[in-house]
Amino acid sequence: MNKMLVLLALAASATAAHAGGDATKGAAVFKKNCSACHTATEPKNKVGPYLGTVIGRPVATYEGFRYSKAMTEFGADGKVWDEARLAEYLPKPKDLVKGTTMAFAGLKTPDEVTDLIAYLKAPQ
């Protein structure tokens, strides 16, 4: 009986931990998939805008970055990059923002998405 309780507790804690993502794994996801075009720790634009403050930021509003017409129109009604919107966007950006100029096809797994979002909450 005690072994069963321990196993259940371990399973529950693993699920809860992953529900919020793993920021360390998210840093690796960022480095592999995003860093060629974006920064997250240094507030500067590259080919894409700075992402260190993306969560909670209105879409297409980072100062000094020239957004595509598609992204500007997507954010025109006041949309904000929150965790839910990023979770919808990151797997297939071109499906959510038709006509975006971002070349990235999207993240392959839900784990990559949750881990990247965890990292973007407080990039280091």
Side-chain angles (χ1 to χ4, degrees), residues 70-115:
M71 188 62 75
T72 302
E73 289 175 356
F74 178 72
D77 63 356
K79 289 180 183 77
V80 172
W81 288 120
D82 58 17
E83 292 177 48
R85 191 167 324 278
L86 284 169
E88 184 181 5
Y89 180 73
L90 292 169
K92 291 190 177 184
K94 291 182 184 225
D95 283 0
L96 187 63
V97 183
K98 308 284 189 226
T100 183
T101 57
M102 188 166 84
F104 180 62
L107 295 174
K108 293 178 175 71
T109 71
D111 289 350
E112 288 178 318
V113 171
T114 56
D115 292 343

Side-chain angles (χ1 to χ4, degrees), residues 5-21:
L5 290 175
V6 169
L7 289 174
L8 287 173
L10 286 172
S13 67
T15 301
H18 193 267

Side-chain angles (χ1 to χ4, degrees), residues 2 25 55-56 58 64 72 81 95 99 120:
N2 284 342
K25 289 180 180 177
I55 296 180
T72 302
W81 288 120
D95 283 0
L120 289 174

Side-chain angles (χ1 to χ4, degrees), residues 18-70:
H18 193 267
D22 181 322
T24 301
K25 289 180 180 177
V29 172
F30 185 90
K31 183 176 181 181
K32 177 182 176 188
N33 296 283
C34 312
S35 65
C37 298
H38 298 276
T39 63
T41 56
E42 185 179 349
K44 71 175 192 173
N45 296 320
K46 291 172 77 175
V47 173
Y50 167 64
L51 297 179
T53 57
V54 70
I55 296 180
R57 185 168 74 209
V59 171
T61 61
Y62 191 73
E63 188 175 326
F65 186 77
R66 185 176 170 160
Y67 291 90
S68 68
K69 181 179 178 186

